[in-house]
Amino acid sequence: MSVAGVVGGVVQPLVVVAGSPFLVGVMRQVRARLEGRAGAGIGQPWRDLRKLFGKEPITPRGTSEVFRLAPMVLVATTLVVAVVVPFVTTDSALDPVADLFAVVALLAAGTVALALAGLDTGTAFGGMGASREMTIIALVEPTLLVAIFALSVRVGSTNLAAIVSSTLHDPSRVISPVSLLAAVALTVVIVAENGRLPVDNPSTHLELTMVHEAMVLEYAGPDLALVELASAMRLSVFLGLLANLFVPWGIATTAAPLAVLGGVIAVAVKVTVLGGLLAAGEVFLAKLRLFRVPELLAGSFLLALLAVAASFFLA
Amino acid sequence: MSDGTYVQLLDLACGGLLLTAVLVLWRRELAVIIGVFAAQGIALATLVGVLAAHEGSAEVGGVAVGILVLRAGILPWLLHRALAKAGPARRETRPVVNVAASLLAAALLTLLSYAVSQPLVALEPSTATRAIPVGVTVVLIGFFVLVTRRRALSQLVGFLLMDNGITTVGFLTTAGIGLIVELGVSLDVLLAVLVLRILASRMRETFGDTDLDELRELHD
């Protein structure tokens, strides 16, 4: 465990927790402006969270501990990922956990906790949302693993920090068919996993279309605030992972204060730009029918597999 | 051209070939499929151009320009004209194998092509020959499109995809088949497309559709 790793492990969760509601705010503002609305400003998600945290905790009658613990599990798993994945510094505070498989499993554990909570309420919407979420995650996880695996083949390690620092040392690897195919596959997967258009519409409560919203319909007060915060954090963690796996420049390699500051600014700028692009793209997309979603994910799985194949036959 | 950029450009062109072949399987709108086919033509021309620059051969460079004009210009233009005449049937609505399954089939075809082209690569390992599996994959995916699609136009694109793959393998293995051979092949492809276009328009006039599965009986 190096000094840079410890500094990163402290700074990264703070940046992710503080910054992710602003990321959601920026994305909503971009959408609003492109749709000709004024928008609520980028601070609105934080104001909503403050309001929700100040409310009395309340849970529906008949729900069990599964329902009460799910928001905590969701936030906790995302926080662990935010601590270990190389966002600000290339060294990781807990190097063995910064492994591809561990990170993907942690993120999946949070999703499963939320789906169980959706089932626990016993309402029609909760169960429907949970079943849809499981359909999507069953197709997303293998793609996510295979896409990052394609990048780890040439490094010879599934450690995310090792992948990032090897790209940093050999920038020419960024422009290769392996990166190209894996980047397209990862983008599709991130869109699906975070419930953005065209897989899920994050801004509606329309029962025919919703996935994520259906599961969290019964939450109120501080629990809802935790769920909202966690989903914002997951979005920034995924976008940060995408940014640093393919464009790692600006990341701090030492624990010097200036380097760490540069790393924070670099990751914030990259994630904001990616989020803005995602939001701008969403304006032009319509939601896909649920039965067409497996087609989209099968396509991204194929691209990820081709990336792995290409890393072997074009090597 | 330095060795590093040569390898990178060659690999990028091969990645473009793979990506466009998959997109043809993925998308349903015939207009988009034709656009993707044109993009593949550009990728193929880039590949040949990179090989020509690497070997400093003006003849192969000429072939690259010819490929660009034919496969990214003339053939997509002909297909677009055929599509414009085809009337309302703009989408591949019911492929024999559904899109998700055909994408997974394409994954298997990729692995298969990698397995079968190993002996070919082992004959003379170099950057160009290592990309042979990509060409074989494009051939197999083209064949898959040809047998599983119902619209005449998307079957035609499948046929052209196969031809793109064959050309890719040809250039990667021999580094320049020679101007005359390539000219003959290109002329053949152009003729095939012209004939199939006329055939498709006749079919539509007679039956009102180009769905080949509807053609079960003989008429006089």
Side-chain angles (χ1 to χ4, degrees), chain A residues 107-207:
Chain A
L107 289 169
T111 312
V112 171
L114 198 62
L116 284 177
L119 286 174
D120 190 42
T121 58
T123 60
F125 278 156
M128 193 184 69
S131 89
R132 287 178 177 177
E133 182 75 10
M134 283 299 111
T135 313
I136 293 174
I137 199 174
L139 298 166
V140 159
E141 295 309 320
T143 315
L144 195 57
L145 282 172
V146 174
I148 308 183
F149 186 62
L151 300 172
S152 73
V153 165
R154 60 192 179 194
V155 183
S157 155
T158 54
N159 191 304
L160 292 172
I163 298 176
V164 169
S165 42
S166 95
T167 315
L168 206 56
H169 291 139
D170 189 6
S172 65
R173 279 181 176 166
V174 174
I175 309 173
S176 75
V178 179
S179 300
L180 207 70
L181 294 165
V184 177
L186 258 187
T187 312
V188 174
V189 160
I190 286 171
V191 163
E193 172 75 27
N194 287 294
R196 313 292 307 186
L197 282 171
V199 176
D200 183 13
N201 192 344
S203 55
T204 66
H205 284 271
L206 200 65
E207 64 270 25

XYZ file of all heavy atoms in Angstrom, chain A residues 107-207:
709
model
N -20.430 -4.062 -7.983
C -21.483 -3.251 -8.603
C -22.741 -4.087 -8.797
O -23.865 -3.616 -8.598
C -20.992 -2.679 -9.933
C -19.940 -1.584 -9.780
C -19.312 -1.246 -11.107
C -20.564 -0.340 -9.183
N -22.563 -5.373 -9.176
C -23.719 -6.242 -9.369
C -24.421 -6.514 -8.048
O -25.651 -6.580 -7.990
C -23.290 -7.546 -10.016
N -23.646 -6.628 -6.933
C -24.246 -6.894 -5.630
C -25.209 -5.768 -5.244
O -26.301 -6.027 -4.721
C -23.153 -7.050 -4.575
N -24.815 -4.519 -5.539
C -25.701 -3.397 -5.243
C -27.001 -3.491 -6.016
O -28.091 -3.296 -5.471
N -26.892 -3.821 -7.314
C -28.095 -3.936 -8.141
C -29.008 -5.030 -7.613
O -30.235 -4.868 -7.548
C -27.700 -4.256 -9.589
O -26.671 -3.368 -9.973
C -28.870 -4.103 -10.514
N -28.407 -6.169 -7.230
C -29.213 -7.289 -6.730
C -29.924 -6.897 -5.444
O -31.104 -7.218 -5.251
C -28.316 -8.530 -6.519
C -29.073 -9.615 -5.793
C -27.818 -9.043 -7.848
N -29.220 -6.140 -4.551
C -29.850 -5.706 -3.311
C -31.083 -4.864 -3.601
O -32.149 -5.048 -2.989
C -28.851 -4.917 -2.473
N -30.967 -3.974 -4.569
C -32.095 -3.104 -4.907
C -33.246 -3.915 -5.506
O -34.421 -3.672 -5.204
C -31.627 -2.024 -5.884
C -32.556 -0.819 -5.989
C -32.651 -0.119 -4.660
C -32.063 0.126 -7.052
N -32.906 -4.914 -6.349
C -33.950 -5.742 -6.953
C -34.671 -6.551 -5.880
O -35.899 -6.696 -5.913
C -33.336 -6.677 -7.999
N -33.927 -7.054 -4.890
C -34.558 -7.787 -3.788
C -35.494 -6.867 -3.011
O -36.594 -7.276 -2.612
C -33.483 -8.348 -2.852
C -32.750 -9.580 -3.357
C -31.671 -9.975 -2.367
C -33.725 -10.726 -3.554
N -35.057 -5.606 -2.801
C -35.908 -4.653 -2.103
C -37.184 -4.401 -2.899
O -38.272 -4.292 -2.323
C -35.155 -3.354 -1.888
N -37.055 -4.345 -4.233
C -38.231 -4.150 -5.072
C -39.205 -5.305 -4.921
O -40.425 -5.112 -4.867
N -38.667 -6.544 -4.790
C -39.534 -7.707 -4.611
C -40.154 -7.698 -3.219
O -41.290 -8.125 -3.028
C -38.718 -8.994 -4.783
C -38.318 -9.364 -6.202
C -37.406 -10.569 -6.173
C -39.547 -9.674 -7.026
N -39.384 -7.191 -2.240
C -39.806 -7.260 -0.845
C -41.075 -6.451 -0.583
O -41.857 -6.787 0.289
C -38.667 -6.767 0.049
C -38.945 -7.028 1.507
O -39.447 -8.133 1.797
O -38.672 -6.158 2.334
N -41.273 -5.366 -1.359
C -42.457 -4.546 -1.117
C -43.731 -5.301 -1.472
O -44.789 -4.987 -0.939
C -42.415 -3.269 -1.961
O -42.333 -3.665 -3.336
C -41.228 -2.423 -1.620
N -43.643 -6.297 -2.340
C -44.812 -7.090 -2.688
C -45.790 -6.372 -3.595
O -46.872 -6.874 -3.861
N -45.431 -5.177 -4.087
C -46.333 -4.485 -5.009
C -46.066 -4.956 -6.438
O -45.015 -5.526 -6.723
C -46.116 -2.970 -4.942
O -44.769 -2.709 -5.312
C -46.387 -2.437 -3.564
N -47.039 -4.703 -7.301
C -46.910 -5.136 -8.695
C -45.732 -4.436 -9.366
O -44.937 -5.059 -10.056
C -48.190 -4.852 -9.448
N -45.609 -3.120 -9.105
C -44.543 -2.361 -9.771
C -43.161 -2.814 -9.345
O -42.260 -2.958 -10.163
C -44.696 -0.870 -9.467
C -45.696 -0.210 -10.340
C -46.329 0.942 -9.928
C -46.007 -0.751 -11.584
C -47.261 1.553 -10.732
C -46.935 -0.136 -12.383
C -47.559 1.006 -11.961
N -43.007 -3.039 -8.008
C -41.702 -3.448 -7.503
C -41.235 -4.732 -8.156
O -40.100 -4.826 -8.630
N -42.134 -5.723 -8.211
C -41.772 -7.017 -8.811
C -41.460 -6.881 -10.278
O -40.490 -7.468 -10.781
N -42.271 -6.060 -10.969
C -42.059 -5.874 -12.407
C -40.706 -5.226 -12.671
O -39.925 -5.684 -13.518
C -43.179 -4.989 -12.941
C -43.304 -4.921 -14.416
S -44.576 -3.743 -14.822
C -43.801 -2.220 -14.339
N -40.410 -4.168 -11.897
C -39.129 -3.489 -12.071
C -37.971 -4.426 -11.779
O -36.981 -4.452 -12.504
N -38.112 -5.248 -10.702
C -37.028 -6.159 -10.336
C -36.802 -7.187 -11.429
O -35.656 -7.488 -11.782
C -37.366 -6.858 -9.021
N -37.897 -7.728 -11.983
C -37.714 -8.759 -13.021
C -37.070 -8.152 -14.263
O -36.196 -8.765 -14.887
C -39.041 -9.423 -13.356
O -39.705 -8.733 -14.372
N -37.466 -6.920 -14.605
C -36.847 -6.277 -15.777
C -35.375 -6.005 -15.530
O -34.532 -6.209 -16.399
C -37.567 -4.966 -16.093
C -38.930 -5.192 -16.690
C -39.622 -3.884 -16.932
N -40.908 -4.117 -17.572
C -41.757 -3.151 -17.844
N -41.460 -1.913 -17.544
N -42.896 -3.432 -18.438
N -35.074 -5.524 -14.300
C -33.682 -5.212 -13.967
C -32.823 -6.474 -14.042
O -31.687 -6.435 -14.540
C -33.631 -4.609 -12.559
C -32.245 -4.204 -12.101
C -31.748 -2.922 -12.743
O -32.553 -2.239 -13.394
O -30.563 -2.623 -12.595
N -33.379 -7.606 -13.591
C -32.613 -8.861 -13.625
C -32.366 -9.303 -15.069
O -31.294 -9.799 -15.408
C -33.363 -9.959 -12.873
C -33.262 -9.837 -11.383
S -31.561 -9.957 -10.818
C -31.236 -8.331 -10.261
N -33.392 -9.116 -15.928
C -33.216 -9.442 -17.348
C -32.043 -8.669 -17.923
O -31.189 -9.215 -18.625
C -34.476 -9.063 -18.145
O -35.607 -9.552 -17.460
C -34.421 -9.615 -19.544
N -32.007 -7.364 -17.586
C -30.964 -6.517 -18.169
C -29.606 -6.857 -17.580
O -28.627 -7.017 -18.311
C -31.314 -5.030 -17.954
C -32.548 -4.675 -18.777
C -30.153 -4.140 -18.338
C -33.072 -3.310 -18.538
N -29.543 -7.053 -16.248
C -28.223 -7.242 -15.624
C -27.628 -8.583 -16.040
O -26.408 -8.715 -16.192
C -28.295 -7.089 -14.093
C -26.893 -6.831 -13.551
C -28.881 -8.299 -13.428
C -26.845 -6.520 -12.106
N -28.486 -9.585 -16.291
C -27.975 -10.888 -16.722
C -27.246 -10.767 -18.051
O -26.316 -11.519 -18.333
C -29.119 -11.880 -16.844
N -27.676 -9.805 -18.884
C -27.007 -9.618 -20.171
C -25.855 -8.620 -20.077
O -24.913 -8.677 -20.862
C -28.021 -9.125 -21.205
C -29.167 -10.095 -21.471
C -30.278 -9.402 -22.223
C -28.658 -11.272 -22.250
N -25.953 -7.710 -19.078
C -24.943 -6.658 -18.972
C -23.645 -7.185 -18.384
O -22.554 -6.880 -18.874
C -25.492 -5.488 -18.117
C -24.372 -4.656 -17.559
C -26.410 -4.626 -18.947
N -23.735 -8.005 -17.334
C -22.528 -8.404 -16.610
C -21.501 -9.106 -17.494
O -20.331 -8.737 -17.470
C -22.876 -9.279 -15.399
C -23.666 -8.571 -14.335
C -23.081 -7.260 -13.901
O -21.831 -7.167 -13.762
O -23.847 -6.303 -13.723
N -21.917 -10.147 -18.283
C -20.902 -10.789 -19.119
C -20.240 -9.815 -20.087
O -19.015 -9.866 -20.289
C -21.672 -11.874 -19.880
C -23.090 -11.629 -19.633
C -23.218 -10.802 -18.425
N -21.038 -8.881 -20.647
C -20.464 -7.920 -21.587
C -19.438 -7.034 -20.908
O -18.351 -6.783 -21.436
C -21.575 -7.052 -22.196
O -22.637 -7.885 -22.564
C -21.071 -6.290 -23.373
N -19.793 -6.579 -19.704
C -18.895 -5.709 -18.948
C -17.584 -6.435 -18.685
O -16.490 -5.890 -18.905
C -19.582 -5.354 -17.629
C -19.040 -4.206 -16.802
C -19.036 -2.960 -17.632
C -19.893 -4.011 -15.579
N -17.683 -7.700 -18.236
C -16.480 -8.476 -17.938
C -15.646 -8.673 -19.195
O -14.435 -8.440 -19.190
C -16.869 -9.834 -17.362
C -17.290 -9.829 -15.903
C -17.823 -11.180 -15.511
C -16.123 -9.449 -15.032
N -16.292 -9.092 -20.291
C -15.539 -9.413 -21.513
C -14.898 -8.158 -22.086
O -13.751 -8.192 -22.537
C -16.469 -10.097 -22.545
C -15.735 -10.297 -23.853
C -16.939 -11.425 -22.016
N -15.620 -7.005 -22.025
C -15.078 -5.774 -22.610
C -13.813 -5.336 -21.876
O -12.813 -4.971 -22.507
C -16.125 -4.664 -22.570
N -13.837 -5.375 -20.532
C -12.637 -4.950 -19.800
C -11.562 -6.033 -19.909
O -10.368 -5.740 -19.934
C -12.964 -4.616 -18.332
C -14.129 -3.643 -18.279
C -11.777 -3.992 -17.650
C -14.504 -3.194 -16.906
N -12.004 -7.291 -20.035
C -11.060 -8.396 -20.208
C -10.229 -8.203 -21.478
O -9.027 -8.491 -21.500
C -11.836 -9.704 -20.254
C -10.964 -10.922 -20.275
C -10.120 -11.196 -19.219
C -10.975 -11.793 -21.341
C -9.313 -12.293 -19.230
C -10.168 -12.896 -21.371
C -9.327 -13.149 -20.310
N -10.884 -7.666 -22.525
C -10.177 -7.406 -23.782
C -9.003 -6.470 -23.549
O -7.944 -6.614 -24.157
C -11.130 -6.802 -24.800
N -9.203 -5.486 -22.633
C -8.114 -4.548 -22.348
C -7.052 -5.191 -21.471
O -5.879 -4.830 -21.535
C -8.670 -3.310 -21.648
C -9.711 -2.536 -22.425
C -10.302 -1.464 -21.554
C -9.079 -1.931 -23.653
N -7.472 -6.157 -20.634
C -6.506 -6.737 -19.695
C -5.645 -7.807 -20.352
O -4.603 -8.158 -19.814
C -7.232 -7.306 -18.484
O -7.910 -8.481 -18.826
N -6.047 -8.306 -21.543
C -5.268 -9.357 -22.203
C -3.858 -8.883 -22.490
O -2.875 -9.546 -22.178
C -5.965 -9.792 -23.513
C -5.007 -10.587 -24.384
C -7.180 -10.633 -23.200
N -3.722 -7.658 -23.048
C -2.395 -7.180 -23.444
C -1.552 -6.776 -22.243
O -0.331 -6.692 -22.338
C -2.537 -6.024 -24.423
C -3.288 -4.878 -23.832
C -3.660 -3.885 -24.889
N -4.401 -2.818 -24.247
C -5.100 -1.932 -24.891
N -5.175 -1.978 -26.193
N -5.739 -0.989 -24.260
N -2.232 -6.499 -21.104
C -1.483 -6.150 -19.901
C -1.056 -7.421 -19.168
O -0.015 -7.435 -18.506
C -2.338 -5.265 -18.975
C -1.555 -4.824 -17.763
C -2.841 -4.066 -19.740
N -1.857 -8.469 -19.299
C -1.555 -9.710 -18.615
C -1.987 -9.708 -17.171
O -1.496 -10.488 -16.371
N -2.918 -8.807 -16.826
C -3.403 -8.748 -15.452
C -4.815 -8.183 -15.479
O -5.134 -7.332 -16.302
C -2.491 -7.849 -14.621
O -3.199 -7.326 -13.522
N -5.677 -8.658 -14.572
C -7.035 -8.105 -14.529
C -7.127 -6.979 -13.506
O -8.214 -6.530 -13.194
C -8.075 -9.189 -14.197
O -7.660 -9.834 -12.985
C -8.216 -10.190 -15.307
N -5.995 -6.535 -12.986
C -5.999 -5.426 -12.039
C -6.229 -4.110 -12.797
O -5.502 -3.781 -13.726
C -4.668 -5.401 -11.297
C -4.710 -4.447 -10.137
O -5.004 -3.280 -10.300
N -4.436 -4.967 -8.955
N -7.263 -3.365 -12.369
C -7.617 -2.150 -13.110
C -6.501 -1.120 -13.062
O -6.235 -0.434 -14.054
C -8.906 -1.557 -12.548
C -10.157 -2.396 -12.800
C -11.328 -1.831 -12.037
C -10.477 -2.432 -14.279
N -5.825 -1.021 -11.908
C -4.721 -0.052 -11.796
C -3.612 -0.398 -12.782
O -3.034 0.495 -13.417
C -4.191 -0.050 -10.362
N -3.338 -1.706 -12.940
C -2.297 -2.118 -13.891
C -2.701 -1.771 -15.314
O -1.871 -1.307 -16.117
C -2.048 -3.613 -13.757
N -3.994 -1.962 -15.644
C -4.459 -1.641 -17.002
C -4.284 -0.147 -17.264
O -3.754 0.269 -18.300
C -5.938 -2.039 -17.179
C -6.100 -3.544 -17.010
C -6.468 -1.594 -18.524
C -7.525 -4.009 -17.073
N -4.704 0.683 -16.294
C -4.633 2.141 -16.481
C -3.190 2.584 -16.618
O -2.845 3.347 -17.528
C -5.327 2.861 -15.307
C -5.034 4.348 -15.356
C -6.814 2.632 -15.359
N -2.290 2.080 -15.738
C -0.915 2.601 -15.828
C -0.217 2.080 -17.084
O 0.640 2.775 -17.627
C -0.117 2.285 -14.566
O -0.355 0.993 -14.133
N -0.588 0.891 -17.577
C 0.066 0.431 -18.808
C -0.393 1.260 -20.006
O 0.400 1.554 -20.896
C -0.222 -1.045 -19.042
O -1.310 -1.207 -19.885
N -1.663 1.685 -20.026
C -2.121 2.578 -21.097
C -1.404 3.919 -21.011
O -1.073 4.526 -22.023
C -3.638 2.804 -21.005
O -4.262 1.560 -20.788
C -4.179 3.425 -22.269
N -1.149 4.352 -19.770
C -0.465 5.623 -19.552
C 0.960 5.571 -20.107
O 1.464 6.548 -20.662
C -0.427 5.899 -18.049
C -0.349 7.343 -17.587
C -1.491 8.132 -18.160
C -0.406 7.386 -16.068
N 1.611 4.392 -19.977
C 2.988 4.270 -20.453
C 3.075 4.054 -21.950
O 4.095 4.304 -22.558
C 3.700 3.123 -19.722
C 3.930 3.422 -18.285
N 3.769 2.506 -17.281
C 4.276 4.578 -17.667
C 4.010 3.064 -16.121
N 4.317 4.331 -16.327
N 2.017 3.527 -22.547
C 2.057 3.216 -23.973
C 0.813 3.786 -24.646
O -0.148 3.073 -24.923
C 2.124 1.685 -24.139
C 2.380 1.309 -25.584
O 2.605 2.231 -26.381
O 2.344 0.117 -25.895
N 0.806 5.129 -24.891
C -0.416 5.784 -25.369
C -0.886 5.280 -26.728
O -2.056 5.412 -27.072
C -0.025 7.265 -25.459
C 1.278 7.371 -24.769
C 1.924 6.046 -24.807
N 0.037 4.667 -27.531
C -0.360 4.262 -28.877
C -1.396 3.148 -28.835
O -2.075 2.876 -29.817
C 0.860 3.793 -29.661
O 1.387 2.634 -29.063
N -1.531 2.488 -27.664
C -2.511 1.408 -27.559
C -3.943 1.903 -27.637
O -4.848 1.122 -27.909
C -2.336 0.710 -26.217
C -1.218 -0.285 -26.247
C -1.140 -0.939 -24.915
N -0.142 -1.981 -24.934
C 0.329 -2.547 -23.849
N -0.134 -2.165 -22.689
N 1.220 -3.493 -23.929
N -4.127 3.212 -27.364
C -5.496 3.725 -27.340
C -6.135 3.611 -28.717
O -7.307 3.287 -28.853
C -5.488 5.186 -26.855
C -6.867 5.790 -26.970
C -5.024 5.233 -25.413
N -5.324 3.865 -29.776
C -5.881 3.789 -31.134
C -5.609 2.405 -31.681
O -4.676 2.183 -32.431
C -5.248 4.858 -32.044
C -5.339 6.216 -31.364
C -5.977 4.910 -33.374
C -4.602 7.281 -32.091
N -6.393 1.449 -31.290
C -6.283 0.104 -31.847
C -7.692 -0.461 -31.930
O -8.588 -0.001 -31.226
C -5.393 -0.765 -30.971
O -6.100 -1.131 -29.821
N -7.907 -1.437 -32.816
C -9.257 -1.987 -32.940
C -9.759 -2.561 -31.632
O -10.969 -2.509 -31.356
C -9.109 -3.068 -34.003
C -7.692 -3.181 -34.317
C -6.993 -2.002 -33.795
N -8.851 -3.083 -30.795
C -9.279 -3.654 -29.515
C -9.954 -2.577 -28.672
O -11.075 -2.751 -28.194
C -8.073 -4.246 -28.768
C -8.509 -4.813 -27.448
C -7.394 -5.303 -29.602
N -9.272 -1.422 -28.516
C -9.850 -0.344 -27.720
C -11.142 0.159 -28.344
O -12.118 0.422 -27.648
C -8.877 0.826 -27.637
O -7.698 0.428 -27.053
N -11.126 0.270 -29.682
C -12.294 0.800 -30.391
C -13.529 -0.046 -30.112
O -14.570 0.454 -29.670
C -11.971 0.790 -31.886
C -12.679 1.796 -32.765
C -12.161 3.180 -32.450
C -12.443 1.463 -34.218
N -13.402 -1.370 -30.330
C -14.534 -2.274 -30.144
C -14.944 -2.323 -28.682
O -16.132 -2.265 -28.352
C -14.165 -3.674 -30.638
C -13.914 -3.816 -32.131
C -13.215 -5.115 -32.442
C -15.215 -3.759 -32.884
N -13.948 -2.398 -27.773
C -14.265 -2.475 -26.353
C -14.942 -1.195 -25.880
O -15.858 -1.247 -25.057
C -13.002 -2.740 -25.541
N -14.523 -0.037 -26.411
C -15.125 1.230 -25.993
C -16.593 1.292 -26.396
O -17.450 1.694 -25.602
C -14.369 2.405 -26.602
N -16.895 0.848 -27.631
C -18.297 0.854 -28.072
C -19.126 -0.075 -27.190
O -20.210 0.286 -26.709
C -18.400 0.442 -29.553
C -19.843 0.369 -29.980
C -17.648 1.415 -30.424
N -18.589 -1.275 -26.922
C -19.320 -2.241 -26.099
C -19.548 -1.691 -24.696
O -20.659 -1.769 -24.160
C -18.550 -3.555 -26.033
N -18.501 -1.099 -24.099
C -18.626 -0.568 -22.738
C -19.644 0.561 -22.666
O -20.402 0.654 -21.706
C -17.280 -0.036 -22.267
C -16.478 -0.909 -21.316
C -15.270 -0.160 -20.828
C -17.321 -1.320 -20.128
N -19.671 1.413 -23.705
C -20.619 2.528 -23.697
C -22.049 2.004 -23.659
O -22.873 2.467 -22.859
C -20.407 3.407 -24.939
O -19.026 3.677 -25.054
C -21.177 4.684 -24.826
N -22.333 1.001 -24.504
C -23.692 0.436 -24.529
C -24.035 -0.147 -23.165
O -25.132 0.053 -22.626
C -23.805 -0.637 -25.632
C -25.157 -1.326 -25.552
C -23.598 -0.035 -26.987
N -23.064 -0.863 -22.576
C -23.298 -1.505 -21.292
C -23.553 -0.470 -20.195
O -24.447 -0.639 -19.363
C -22.076 -2.374 -20.932
C -22.035 -2.665 -19.468
C -22.122 -3.656 -21.710
N -22.794 0.629 -20.214
C -22.961 1.646 -19.174
C -24.327 2.301 -19.296
O -25.006 2.551 -18.302
C -21.820 2.680 -19.277
C -20.537 2.042 -18.757
C -22.141 3.929 -18.502
C -19.318 2.854 -18.993
N -24.743 2.532 -20.547
C -26.072 3.115 -20.762
C -27.143 2.186 -20.204
O -28.080 2.609 -19.516
C -26.282 3.372 -22.270
C -27.743 3.574 -22.565
C -25.482 4.575 -22.704
N -27.007 0.866 -20.436
C -28.010 -0.083 -19.969
C -27.971 -0.217 -18.454
O -29.007 -0.222 -17.790
C -27.782 -1.441 -20.629
N -26.775 -0.312 -17.897
C -26.623 -0.566 -16.467
C -27.131 0.595 -15.629
O -27.652 0.402 -14.534
C -25.142 -0.848 -16.184
C -24.752 -0.952 -14.739
C -25.167 -2.253 -14.080
O -25.281 -3.248 -14.816
O -25.384 -2.256 -12.862
N -27.001 1.818 -16.132
C -27.421 2.967 -15.350
C -28.838 3.419 -15.657
O -29.266 4.465 -15.180
C -26.452 4.133 -15.565
C -25.153 3.882 -14.861
O -25.113 3.839 -13.641
N -24.116 3.643 -15.619
N -29.536 2.636 -16.461
C -30.920 2.975 -16.736
C -31.085 4.290 -17.464
O -31.920 5.115 -17.107
N -30.244 4.526 -18.467
C -30.421 5.732 -19.279
C -31.112 5.336 -20.579
O -31.198 4.154 -20.919
C -29.063 6.375 -19.618
C -28.103 6.521 -18.463
C -28.548 7.521 -17.444
N -28.863 8.822 -18.009
C -29.158 9.875 -17.261
N -29.157 9.785 -15.963
N -29.456 11.025 -17.819
N -31.564 6.348 -21.347
C -32.117 6.078 -22.666
C -31.038 5.426 -23.518
O -29.874 5.753 -23.342
C -32.561 7.384 -23.330
C -33.885 7.953 -22.848
C -34.064 9.341 -23.426
C -35.026 7.080 -23.220
N -31.336 4.501 -24.437
C -32.647 4.033 -24.853
C -33.130 2.795 -24.094
O -34.136 2.210 -24.478
C -32.409 3.679 -26.315
C -31.010 3.207 -26.353
C -30.279 3.996 -25.335
N -32.449 2.384 -23.016
C -32.891 1.178 -22.318
C -33.967 1.499 -21.297
O -34.960 0.802 -21.169
C -31.679 0.483 -21.659
C -32.124 -0.707 -20.849
C -30.701 0.047 -22.725
N -33.764 2.578 -20.547
C -34.709 2.958 -19.510
C -34.765 4.473 -19.522
O -33.774 5.124 -19.824
C -34.195 2.445 -18.155
C -35.165 2.751 -17.025
O -36.311 3.117 -17.328
O -34.763 2.615 -15.866
N -35.925 5.034 -19.191
C -36.011 6.490 -19.170
C -35.956 6.970 -17.730
O -36.860 6.707 -16.959
C -37.309 6.937 -19.847
C -37.310 8.422 -20.103
O -36.506 9.150 -19.530
N -38.180 8.864 -20.960
N -34.863 7.669 -17.342
C -34.713 8.029 -15.932
C -35.638 9.151 -15.492
O -35.756 9.396 -14.299
C -33.252 8.466 -15.841
C -32.907 8.920 -17.200
C -33.726 8.110 -18.151
N -36.295 9.837 -16.418
C -37.059 11.008 -16.005
C -38.570 10.785 -16.040
O -39.318 11.728 -15.946
C -36.676 12.200 -16.885
O -36.862 11.868 -18.228
N -39.029 9.548 -16.177
C -40.479 9.347 -16.184
C -40.891 8.384 -15.091
O -40.097 7.626 -14.568
C -40.971 8.747 -17.504
O -40.444 7.440 -17.612
C -40.604 9.570 -18.679
N -42.179 8.416 -14.781
C -42.756 7.417 -13.888
C -43.866 6.694 -14.650
O -44.925 6.433 -14.123
C -43.301 8.077 -12.628
C -42.223 8.463 -11.683
N -41.745 7.617 -10.729
C -41.506 9.593 -11.564
C -40.790 8.212 -10.056
N -40.616 9.421 -10.546
N -43.611 6.383 -15.909
C -44.624 5.744 -16.740
C -44.484 4.236 -16.558
O -43.435 3.674 -16.809
C -44.370 6.144 -18.194
C -45.540 5.998 -19.144
C -46.626 6.951 -18.733
C -45.095 6.297 -20.551
N -45.556 3.587 -16.101
C -45.410 2.185 -15.682
C -45.004 1.244 -16.811
O -44.385 0.220 -16.569
C -46.706 1.692 -15.030
C -47.898 1.651 -15.936
C -48.664 2.962 -15.899
O -48.062 4.003 -15.578
O -49.841 2.948 -16.191
